[in-house]
Amino acid sequence: MQSYISPWPETSPAPPFPRRLVILGATGSIGTSALRVVLRHPELFQVLALAGGRNAERLAEQAALLRPPYLALVEPADVDRLRTLLPGDYHPEILSGSAAFERLAALPEADMVLSSIVGAAGFAPTLAAARAGKTIALANKESLVLGGHLIRAACRASGALVLPVDSEHNALFQGLAGHAGDGLHRLILTASGGPFRGRSRADLEGVTRDQALAHPNWSMGAKISIDSSTLMNKGLEIIEACHLYGLPADKVGVVVHPQSIVHSLVEYVDGSQIAHLGLPDMQIPIAHCLCYPRRVELGLKRLSLAEVGSLTFEEPNLEAFPCLRLAQEAFAAGPSHPVVLNAVNEVAVDLFLHEKIRYLEIPAMIETALAGHAATPVDSPEAILELDRETRKRAAAHRT
Ligand code: NDP
Ligand code: MG
């Protein structure tokens, strides 16, 4: 595909096996699923680095199993705790601070980086991996929302390859295989609709944190679970798809599909739609990326369409779930608006998770911030991160 974010992986050599792997966000939902894949096929990987955020206990357990030469956590104080939790005969180099993640993403001896930190914190490491020419299994959609244009330019310059882990984008990637974008009409992202599908705006007034976290089909981290409930996740995914596949927003549609069996579709000019189907388990797209182009057995329950019975589809309700529209508008408005959208969303979701704001304040805060934002140049990572910081400060101050 000519306008793919990196050279189209089918046309480029994939790293040989065993792959020397760096996992950023190892302690999270995606990281944990990735380690299941790695432990099932240990002959295919050499894990060089495992990086967590704050969870020293989980990182210690993972590290004891795989013994990578590098580990990282955000805070130096957590590193001290981590050291006490590791086996006595294992002495990895342990990094901390935000630069640690960029350093691991660009480790000269690494072939492949799984970018699965949550939120804007994933942007700089993903860009570092792109600049260093790595094969990037990309789960961190926020990094494309912040600076997809910079990641694209970095991949073009270094030859870094991006393989999409996000299930919809992985489905699209598979639907585009062999076509390289020829004859493409549009992409169609499926959305489960989240736990509040079918509710009106008024019904959402009093919903609680636990209700919003209870995703019907997927087991995921807290932030993306809330994003799925507001449909912001689908909004971020439209932006992600536009950056990955080099398309304008009107070429990416959304259809709600509550069973989460069809993971997305590619529509060609002749009217054909190629869908990707599978049970909703992130090990499938993760393994597809980590082992690409090889397919590996995962020991998962197999999809039986007869058992599923029926697959249904409906239009998203933009009135009840304005975040989808806000993301589309932000992307259309230019490259600084998505940075603001993402930053306020992260602040609002965090406040909601801490029960400091009501559910409907999430879209309200984002709408207010976007309405007050005047487009500003974001042509360097520094400019993006500065806008991200400033926006967060303003959004948090607005609430206290
Ligand atoms: P989780 O919250 O489960 O995990 C996030 C990971 O990032 C943890 O390892 C966490 O560390 C780490 N982390 C958090 N903040 C920082 C930071 N400032 N610096 C470094 N590391 C940090 O999230 P998910 O695994 O659910 O999601 C990860 C990414 O993948 C997100 O961008 C999400 O949108 C995307 N994604 C997730 C899917 C899913 O099914 N979960 C599906 C598709 C995409 P710790 O826990 O140790 O603090
Ligand atoms: Mg997704």
Side-chain angles (χ1 to χ4, degrees), residues 223-364:
K223 190 260 180 184
I224 185 175
S225 296
I226 301 299
D227 285 351
S228 297
S229 79
T230 61
L231 290 201
M232 177 56 87
N233 184 49
K234 215 45 57 180
L236 300 179
E237 289 185 354
I238 292 176
I239 301 175
E240 179 184 16
C242 291
H243 282 298
L244 279 173
Y245 299 106
L247 294 171
D250 64 355
K251 287 285 186 191
V252 183
V254 172
V255 65
V256 173
H257 166 48
Q259 296 81 19
S260 297
I261 297 295
V262 176
H263 295 301
S264 279
L265 307 97
V266 179
E267 181 172 345
Y268 289 95
V269 285
D270 62 0
S272 302
Q273 294 190 354
I274 310 290
H276 171 279
L277 282 72
L279 289 171
D281 189 316
M282 285 307 294
Q283 286 183 75
I284 298 171
I286 290 169
H288 182 251
C289 293
L290 295 187
C291 304
Y292 182 84
R294 196 182 284 191
R295 300 272 182 177
V296 296
E297 190 277 330
L298 295 167
L300 301 175
K301 181 176 185 297
R302 306 202 75 83
L303 170 62
S304 158
L305 285 175
E307 207 176 288
V308 176
S310 62
L311 301 176
T312 59
F313 301 89
E314 62 199 47
E315 292 292 340
N317 178 349
L318 297 183
E319 205 264 319
F321 302 100
C323 286
L324 183 56
R325 168 181 59 79
L326 290 171
Q328 285 169 314
E329 289 173 1
F331 186 63
S336 66
H337 284 75
V339 179
V340 171
L341 171 96
N342 183 72
V344 182
N345 182 54
E346 287 191 26
V347 171
V349 168
D350 192 61
L351 288 169
F352 177 70
L353 284 170
H354 288 92
E355 300 182 315
K356 300 256 173 60
I357 63 171
R358 286 173 297 112
Y359 188 70
L360 288 178
E361 285 182 79
I362 299 173

Side-chain angles (χ1 to χ4, degrees), residues 58 93 117 213 283 312:
R58 186 169 295 167
E93 184 174 343
I117 291 173
L213 282 171
Q283 286 183 75
T312 59

Side-chain angles (χ1 to χ4, degrees), residues 13-305:
F17 294 100
R19 289 183 175 166
R20 293 166 302 175
L21 186 61
V22 169
I23 301 184
L24 306 176
T27 49
S29 165
I30 291 286
T32 308
S33 293
L35 287 178
R36 262 189 223 123
V37 173
V38 168
L39 290 168
R40 193 169 179 89
H41 295 281
E43 71 289 359
L44 299 182
F45 303 99
Q46 182 195 342
V47 177
L48 278 185
L50 293 174
R54 301 294 311 265
N55 192 340
E57 288 69 22
R58 186 169 295 167
L59 188 64
E61 283 167 26
Q62 296 175 336
L65 277 176
L66 288 155
R67 301 199 167 211
Y70 299 94
L71 299 175
L73 285 170
V74 173
E75 302 291 340
D78 293 328
V79 169
D80 295 341
R81 200 164 82 256
L82 175 62
R83 277 189 214 284
T84 67
L85 297 169
L86 295 175
D89 61 343
Y90 165 52
H91 305 286
E93 184 174 343
I94 309 182
L95 313 177
S96 63
S98 58
F101 304 92
E102 289 170 65
R103 182 170 156 217
L104 292 181
L107 269 187
E109 58 268 47
D111 304 308
M112 194 169 209
V113 176
L114 173 62
S115 169
S116 58
I117 291 173
V118 63
F123 169 62
T126 305
L127 183 62
R131 286 176 166 168
K134 304 301 181 193
T135 297
I136 304 168
L138 182 64
N140 177 258
K141 63 194 83 183
E142 295 91 344
S143 58
L144 292 184
V145 173
L146 261 70
H149 54 302
L150 299 184
I151 291 170
R152 168 178 292 267
C155 289
R156 295 274 151 191
S158 70
L161 296 184
V162 174
L163 297 163
V165 169
D166 207 350
S167 57
E168 296 78 1
H169 305 73
N170 186 269
L172 297 171
F173 182 69
Q174 297 193 46
L176 287 162
H179 293 265
D182 296 339
L184 176 69
H185 178 59
R186 66 178 178 139
L187 306 177
I188 305 166
L189 298 173
T190 52
S192 69
F196 305 135
R197 185 180 61 86
R199 298 217 193 172
S200 70
R201 198 173 161 77
D203 293 338
L204 296 174
E205 194 58 59
V207 300
T208 66
R209 175 186 183 278
D210 289 347
Q211 289 169 331
L213 282 171
H215 196 280
N217 305 334
W218 296 97
S219 157
M220 309 182 284
K223 190 260 180 184
I224 185 175
S225 296
I226 301 299
D227 285 351
S228 297
S229 79
T230 61
L231 290 201
M232 177 56 87
N233 184 49
K234 215 45 57 180
L236 300 179
E237 289 185 354
I238 292 176
I239 301 175
E240 179 184 16
C242 291
H243 282 298
L244 279 173
Y245 299 106
L247 294 171
D250 64 355
K251 287 285 186 191
V252 183
V254 172
V255 65
V256 173
H257 166 48
Q259 296 81 19
S260 297
I261 297 295
V262 176
H263 295 301
S264 279
L265 307 97
V266 179
E267 181 172 345
Y268 289 95
V269 285
D270 62 0
S272 302
Q273 294 190 354
I274 310 290
H276 171 279
L277 282 72
L279 289 171
D281 189 316
M282 285 307 294
Q283 286 183 75
I284 298 171
I286 290 169
H288 182 251
C289 293
L290 295 187
C291 304
Y292 182 84
R294 196 182 284 191
R295 300 272 182 177
V296 296
E297 190 277 330
L298 295 167
L300 301 175
K301 181 176 185 297
R302 306 202 75 83
L303 170 62
S304 158
L305 285 175

